[in-house]
Amino acid sequence: MNPIALALLLSAGVALAPGAARAQANDMFPSKAAAEQRAKELKCSGAFAMGKDWMPCQNFDVYEKAVSKEK
């Protein structure tokens, strides 16, 4: 996982379960377009910046819910 992204999450008080941390590490993208494509797979929309990378969905809360529904 990107150390800057992890620091941002921890400073925001986001607790990561082991599965969530793995999912998140796989969902960090160098471009907004790539994150938006993953958002479609997760059945959410948009992307948000996490440090210098991008993550799928409108925000982290929506991302967490989408990942928890993914099988």
Side-chain angles (χ1 to χ4, degrees):
M1 174 183 298
N2 178 322
I4 295 171
L6 179 59
L8 288 169
L9 289 171
L10 294 175
S11 70
V14 175
L16 298 175
R22 276 193 303 279
Q24 182 186 343
N26 293 330
D27 286 334
M28 302 287 286
F29 298 94
S31 72
K32 184 177 182 181
E36 289 173 332
Q37 181 60 40
R38 174 68 172 133
K40 290 178 186 176
E41 295 170 8
L42 291 171
K43 296 181 174 66
C44 61
S45 63
F48 65 98
M50 181 63 72
K52 65 178 182 139
D53 293 320
W54 291 89
M55 290 191 69
C57 304
Q58 300 92 320
N59 58 53
F60 194 78
D61 290 336
V62 174
Y63 167 77
E64 278 188 312
K65 289 176 187 169
V67 169
S68 71
K69 294 177 186 176
E70 188 179 45
K71 295 180 181 174

